[in-house]
C-alpha cells in the first residue's frame, strides 16, 4: 500500500472521529437523562406518602424501606460499572439498565391501579388501617428491585458516556497542537469543556427533578397514583427512544477488560513477591506499552512513591514471562496497572467523606415530608402545596447556584486564585460539606419551633391535626441543601472522574453512587439505633411526630457532619495527585502532566480554606 493511501486512510479515520462526539450528542444523552431523572424523582419524591397512606406502613418502617431502596439503587451501579468496563461498553449497559427500569415502573403502575394489590382504604379510628399483606408488598419489592437494577446500568454510565464524547477532541497531530498552543493547552481546553459538562449534567438533573416534584407530585396527591406513576413510566420509555436515535453520533469506546480483575492481579502479584527486594531504580520495574495500549489511550500512569509495597508486582522474577514473551498477569503487572490500584486506594479516603452527605440528605425524603404534612401548606385560600413538592426549593436553589457558578462565581474566584476553574474540586467539595452542616442545623431549629407551635395549640396528641405553623419555614433548610449539592456533588463526581484510572471511569461513577448507597444504609442504621436507644426515654422517632424529637435527631446528624468535615480536611492535606504521561504519537519520550487539575497545594490553589 502506498504512503498516499495510508495518508488517505488516516485522514478518513480522523474525519470520522471529528464527526462523532462533542456537544452535538448532548441533546440525546442529556435528553435520556432528563427523562430518567424525571421518572426517578416522579415516583420517589412522594413514596413516603404512598407507603404510609396507601399501604399503611408505620413511619419508621416506611423510612427504613426507602433508605434501603435508596441504598440498593446506589449499590447496583457497581454491577453496571463492572459490566460496562469489562465487556458490554457504556452504550449497551445504558440500554439494558433502561429496560429494567421500565419494567419496574410498569410494575409500580400496575400495583397502584389494581385494588387487589393494596389494602382497603381506612379512616381511623372508625375503620382501623390494615397493613399491606406479604404478597402485596412482594409486588412492590419486585418492582423496586427492577428499578434498582435499572439504576445500576444508568447511573455509572450516563455521565461517563457524556465525557467520552469529549475525550476524542484533544488534537493529536503536531500542526493541530501548534494551532492551539501545544498539547497542554489543548488538554486544558478539553478539561474546561468537561467541567462545563459536569455542571450541565447536574443542572439538567435538577430541571428534571423540579418538573417531577411539581407536576407529578401534584397529580399523585390530587388525581391518583395510577396517573402519578404512569407519567414517569411514559417518560422513561421516551428516554430510551431518544437515546437510541443518537446512536450514529456517539463515540463508543471499547471496554478494556475487567478492571477488578486487573486490581486483583496486582494485589496477588505483590503478595506473592512480598519478600522480594524492591529495586532502588523505579526504571527497573516492568513496562509494556503494547499490553497497556487499550487501557491507556490518553497516556500511561507514571510511577509514584506512595504505597511502594505494591511495586513488587512489577518486579520481574524467573517464570513471570513465558517463552513467547507474554507475562503471567497473576505474577507480573506493569507499572501502569500497579498505579491503577494505587490511584483507587489514594482516592478512597476523600471519596468516603461523601458518605455522610447521603446520610444527612436521606431524611429529606422521609421525616421532612412528614413534618410538611403536619404544617399549614396553604399558598392561597384554595391551593395547598403538596408536602413532597417542598423539595422544589432545594432543587431550585441548586439550579440557581449552578447557573451562577460559571457566570459569576468562577470569574470572581479566578481573579483571586488565578485558576481557570476559579477553585479546584477539592475546595469546591469542602465548601459544599461546610454548607451542608448549616442545612441540617437549620432543620433542627425549624423542627423545634414546629413542635413548640403544636404544644402551644394543644395538638401534641393529635398527629393528624394541622399545626398553625407555615410550611415555608422549611424553605431555608431545603435551599441550603440545594446550594451545598451544587458545590459538593459536582466536585465529588469531578474528583472521581479526574483521579480514577482512565479504564475505570464507569467504576469511578459507581463509586459516587456507592457513597450514596452506604450513606442511605447508614441512615437506616442511624434511625434504627436512635429509635432503640430512645425508646421509653423520650421516643425521638415515633409515628406521632408532635410528641417525638426529630429535632434532636437532626442535632445528632449535625454533630456527625462536623466530624466528617474535619475528617475531609485531614484527608485533603495528605492527598497526592496522580501523575500521567501524555505521550505524543510522534515523540516516544512523552510528557509528565498531572491531568488537567493544577497542583492541589500549588500557589494558585490557595489551599482548601
Amino acid at each position: 500500500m502506498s504512503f498516499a493511501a495510508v495518508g488517505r486512510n488516516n485522514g478518513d479515520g480522523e474525519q470520522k472521529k471529528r464527526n462523532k462526539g462533542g456537544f452535538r450528542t448532548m441533546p440525546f444523552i442529556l435528553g435520556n437523562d432528563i427523562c430518567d431523572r424525571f421518572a426517578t424523582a416522579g415516583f420517589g419524591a412522594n413514596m413516603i406518602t404512598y407507603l404510609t397512606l396507601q399501604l399503611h406502613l408505620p413511619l419508621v418502617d416506611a423510612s427504613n424501606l426507602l433508605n434501603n431502596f435508596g441504598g440498593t439503587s446506589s449499590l447496583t451501579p457497581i454491577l453496571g460499572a463492572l459490566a460496562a468496563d469489562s465487556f458490554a461498553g457504556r452504550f449497551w449497559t445504558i440500554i439494558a439498565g433502561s429496560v429494567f427500569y421500565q419494567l419496574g415502573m410498569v410494575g409500580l403502575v400496575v400495583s397502584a391501579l389494581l385494588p387487589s394489590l393494596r389494602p382497603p382504604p381506612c379512616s381511623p379510628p372508625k375503620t382501623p388501617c390494615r397493613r399491606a399483606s406479604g404478597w402485596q408488598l412482594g409486588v412492590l419489592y419486585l418492582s423496586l428491585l427492577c428499578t434498582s437494577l435499572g439504576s445500576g446500568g444508568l447511573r455509572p454510565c450516563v455521565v461517563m458516556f457524556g465525557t467520552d464524547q469529549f475525550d476524542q477532541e484533544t488534537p493529536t497531530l503536531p500542526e493541530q497542537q501548534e494551532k492551539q498552543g501545544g498539547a497542554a493547552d489543548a488538554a486544558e481546553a478539553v478539561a474546561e469543556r468537561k467541567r462545563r459538562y459536569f455542571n450541565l449534567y447536574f443542572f439538567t438533573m435538577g430541571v428534571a427533578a423540579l418538573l417531577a416534584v411539581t407536576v407529578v407530585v401534584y397529580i399523585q396527591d390530587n388525581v391518583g397514583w395510577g396517573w402519578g406513576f404512569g407519567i414517569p413510566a411514559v417518560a422513561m420509555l421516551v428516554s430510551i427512544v431518544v437515546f437510541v436515535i443518537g446512536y450514529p453520533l456517539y463515540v463508543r469506546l471499547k471496554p478494556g477488560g475487567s478492571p477488578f480483575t486487573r486490581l486483583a492481579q496486582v494485589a496477588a502479584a505483590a503478595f506473592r513477591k512480598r519478600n522480594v527486594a524492591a529495586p532502588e531504580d523505579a526504571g527497573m520495574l516492568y513496562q509494556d506499552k503494547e499490553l497497556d495500549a487499550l487501557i491507556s489511550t490518553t497516556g500511561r500512569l507514571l510511577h509514584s512513591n506512595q504505597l511502594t509495597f505494591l511495586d513488587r508486582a512489577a518486579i520481574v522474577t524467573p517464570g513471570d514471562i513465558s517463552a513467547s514473551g507474554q507475562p503471567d498477569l497473576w505474577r507480573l503487572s506493569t507499572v501502569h496497572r500497579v498505579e491503577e490500584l494505587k490511584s483507587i486506594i489514594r482516592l478512597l479516603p476523600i471519596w468516603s467523606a461523601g458518605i455522610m452527605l447521603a446520610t444527612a440528605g436521606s431524611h429529606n425524603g422521609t421525616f421532612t415530608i412528614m413534618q410538611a404534612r403536619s404544617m399549614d401548606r396553604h399558598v392561597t385560600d384554595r391551593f395547598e402545596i403538596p408536602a413532597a413538592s417542598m423539595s422544589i426549593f432545594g432543587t431550585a436553589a441548586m439550579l440557581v447556584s449552578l447557573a451562577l457558578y460559571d457566570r459569576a462565581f468562577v470569574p470572581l474566584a479566578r481573579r483571586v486564585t488565578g485558576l481557570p476553574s476559579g477553585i479546584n474540586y477539592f475546595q469546591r467539595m469542602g465548601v459544599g460539606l461546610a454548607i451542608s452542616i448549616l442545612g441540617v442545623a437549620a432543620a433542627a431549629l425549624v423542627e423545634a419551633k414546629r413542635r413548640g407551635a403544636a404544644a402551644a395549640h394543644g395538638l401534641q396528641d393529635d398527629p393528624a391535626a394541622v399545626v398553625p405553623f407555615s410550611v415555608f419555614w422549611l424553605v431555608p433548610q431545603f435551599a441550603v441543601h440545594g446550594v451545598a449539592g451544587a458545590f459538593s456533588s459536582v466536585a465529588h463526581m469531578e474528583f472521581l472522574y479526574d483521579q480514577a484510572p482512565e479504564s475505570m471511569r464507569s467504576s469511578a461513577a459507581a463509586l459516587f453512587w456507592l457513597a450514596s448507597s452506604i450513606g442511605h444504609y447508614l441512615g437506616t442504621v442511624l434511625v434504627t439505633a436512635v429509635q432503640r436507644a430512645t425508646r421509653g426515654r423520650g421516643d425521638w422517632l415515633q409515628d406521632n411526630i408532635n410528641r417525638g424529637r426529630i429535632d434532636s435527631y437532626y442535632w445528632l446528624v449535625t454533630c456527625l457532619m462536623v466530624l466528617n468535615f474535619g475528617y475531609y480536611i485531614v484527608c485533603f492535606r495528605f492527598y497526592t495527585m496522580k501523575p500521567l504521561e501524555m505521550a505524543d504519537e510522534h515523540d516516544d519520550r512523552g510528557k509528565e502532566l498531572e491531568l488537567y487539575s493544577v497542583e492541589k497545594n500549588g500557589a494558585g490553589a490557595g489551599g482548601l480554606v
Side-chain angles (χ1 to χ4, degrees):
M1 182 181 291
S2 67
F3 288 109
V6 173
R8 284 195 300 271
N9 289 339
N10 290 339
D12 291 343
E14 291 296 325
Q15 183 64 38
K16 288 181 179 179
K17 285 185 177 180
R18 287 195 291 269
N19 288 336
K20 291 179 178 289
F23 276 104
R24 68 174 68 89
T25 62
M26 291 302 102
F28 304 101
I29 296 175
L30 295 181
N32 168 269
D33 201 51
I34 286 175
C35 294
D36 166 39
R37 296 298 167 183
F38 179 81
T40 304
F43 87 85
N46 209 19
M47 185 59 77
I48 187 69
T49 302
Y50 182 75
L51 295 177
T52 54
L53 296 187
Q54 297 294 317
L55 300 185
H56 307 151
L57 297 184
L59 174 60
V60 170
D61 288 354
S63 173
N64 285 342
L65 171 60
L66 290 183
N67 279 336
N68 290 334
F69 165 63
T72 304
S73 296
S74 298
L75 185 62
T76 53
I78 294 292
L79 300 178
L82 180 61
D85 286 339
S86 301
F87 59 89
R90 287 191 257 277
F91 176 83
W92 292 110
T93 304
I94 292 171
I95 293 295
S98 299
V99 171
F100 270 104
Y101 207 105
Q102 183 70 62
L103 293 174
M105 291 300 301
V106 170
L108 287 172
V109 173
V110 172
S111 67
L113 288 176
L114 296 181
S116 60
L117 295 179
R118 302 188 311 277
C122 62
S123 56
K126 296 180 180 179
T127 307
C129 294
R130 192 178 71 193
R131 177 175 170 148
S133 65
W135 78 277
Q136 290 171 336
L137 289 175
V139 173
L140 174 71
Y141 294 156
L142 182 60
S143 300
L144 294 179
L145 177 61
C146 286
T147 61
S148 293
L149 292 174
S151 295
L154 293 169
R155 290 183 176 180
C157 295
V158 172
V159 61
M160 295 308 172
F161 189 68
T163 61
D164 288 345
Q165 310 311 309
F166 301 101
D167 278 339
Q168 307 301 313
E169 293 188 347
T170 303
T172 55
L173 299 178
E175 59 269 19
Q176 292 175 312
Q177 293 177 356
E178 183 178 351
K179 289 180 181 179
Q180 295 196 20
D185 290 343
E188 180 63 38
V190 173
E192 175 66 16
R193 286 193 288 271
K194 288 180 180 178
R195 185 183 63 79
R196 290 172 55 198
Y197 165 72
F198 279 118
N199 279 344
L200 180 61
Y201 172 79
F202 280 92
F203 185 86
T204 56
M205 283 203 312
V207 170
L210 190 64
L211 289 173
V213 298
T214 51
V215 177
V216 177
V217 168
Y218 180 82
I219 291 173
Q220 289 171 347
D221 283 351
N222 296 277
V223 179
W225 288 96
W227 281 102
F229 287 150
I231 292 176
V234 172
M236 192 67 224
L237 179 61
V238 172
S239 76
I240 300 174
V241 175
V242 169
F243 185 70
V244 171
I245 289 175
Y247 180 83
L249 298 177
Y250 299 142
V251 172
R252 299 182 300 280
L253 301 181
K254 294 180 179 179
S258 171
F260 297 105
T261 299
R262 291 198 303 276
L263 299 183
Q265 288 171 339
V266 172
F271 180 78
R272 181 190 295 270
K273 300 174 182 177
R274 60 191 180 278
N275 296 322
V276 177
E280 295 183 2
D281 181 9
M284 299 296 293
L285 298 175
Y286 183 65
Q287 302 267 15
D288 190 330
K289 287 186 177 181
E290 184 178 349
L291 180 64
D292 293 334
L294 193 59
I295 58 175
S296 59
T297 58
T298 59
R300 292 182 301 160
L301 294 173
L302 299 173
H303 178 265
S304 62
N305 292 321
Q306 290 79 38
L307 304 170
T308 54
F309 62 94
L310 292 174
D311 290 343
R312 289 177 171 81
I315 299 175
V316 181
T317 58
D320 288 349
I321 302 177
S322 66
S324 62
Q326 295 297 317
D328 180 351
L329 295 179
W330 289 98
R331 294 174 57 94
L332 179 65
S333 296
T334 64
V335 169
H336 176 83
R337 294 172 183 235
V338 171
E339 291 300 320
E340 282 187 323
L341 180 55
K342 288 185 182 181
S343 296
I344 293 297
I345 294 174
R346 278 197 298 259
L347 63 79
L348 288 179
I350 287 183
W351 159 80
S352 64
I355 292 174
M356 274 306 300
L357 283 174
T359 301
S362 64
H363 60 253
N364 283 337
T366 53
F367 297 142
T368 306
I369 293 179
M370 299 301 293
Q371 292 170 253
R373 278 170 49 185
S374 72
M375 300 166 75
D376 180 9
R377 295 182 279 117
H378 281 92
V379 178
T380 65
D381 291 338
R382 295 187 177 182
F383 177 73
E384 284 186 336
I385 183 172
S389 292
M390 289 301 297
S391 59
I392 63 174
F393 297 103
T395 305
M398 185 187 74
L399 293 177
V400 172
S401 299
L402 288 173
L404 294 178
Y405 188 86
D406 278 327
R407 302 277 183 175
F409 179 80
V410 170
L412 291 175
R414 189 180 292 145
R415 296 178 183 178
V416 178
T417 65
L419 300 178
S421 59
I423 57 176
N424 58 43
Y425 44 64
F426 292 104
Q427 296 163 323
R428 185 173 182 175
M429 187 174 175
V431 170
L433 288 171
I435 294 175
S436 64
I437 296 173
L438 302 178
V440 185
L445 293 172
V446 170
E447 171 58 13
K449 289 182 67 68
R450 190 202 65 81
R451 283 184 64 254
H457 291 83
L459 300 175
Q460 284 186 305
D461 295 317
D462 189 0
V466 175
V467 178
F469 187 69
S470 176
V471 75
F472 293 102
W473 277 95
L474 297 175
V475 171
Q477 70 191 61
F478 277 108
V480 172
H481 275 296
V483 174
F487 280 85
S488 58
S489 295
V490 178
H492 200 195
M493 179 70 82
E494 191 177 0
F495 162 73
L496 292 172
Y497 174 84
D498 189 27
Q499 292 300 298
E502 169 196 335
S503 62
M504 298 184 65
R505 284 174 177 164
S506 290
S507 302
L511 281 177
F512 177 86
W513 294 110
L514 180 61
S516 176
S517 171
I518 298 174
H520 278 90
Y521 287 132
L522 184 59
T524 299
V525 172
L526 190 61
V527 166
T528 303
V530 168
Q531 184 192 33
R532 291 179 179 177
T534 62
R535 184 175 295 155
R537 293 187 293 272
D539 287 330
W540 287 10
L541 306 176
Q542 54 179 286
D543 291 343
N544 181 4
I545 62 174
N546 293 336
R547 282 285 183 185
R549 292 301 305 268
I550 296 179
D551 55 326
S552 297
Y553 172 80
Y554 288 159
W555 282 122
L556 174 62
V557 175
T558 302
C559 293
L560 294 176
M561 291 294 292
V562 172
L563 294 175
N564 185 65
F565 182 69
Y567 166 76
Y568 174 77
I569 297 291
V570 173
C571 293
F572 165 77
R573 291 301 181 188
F574 288 96
Y575 187 76
T576 301
M577 303 283 281
K578 72 172 186 180
L580 181 70
E581 177 189 60
M582 302 292 289
D584 188 339
E585 294 178 5
H586 305 276
D587 184 358
D588 292 335
R589 290 173 297 177
K591 182 178 180 181
E592 181 177 343
L593 295 174
E594 263 204 355
L595 291 183
Y596 69 80
S597 302
V598 298
E599 290 277 356
K600 74 181 182 74
N601 289 319
L608 180 64
V609 294

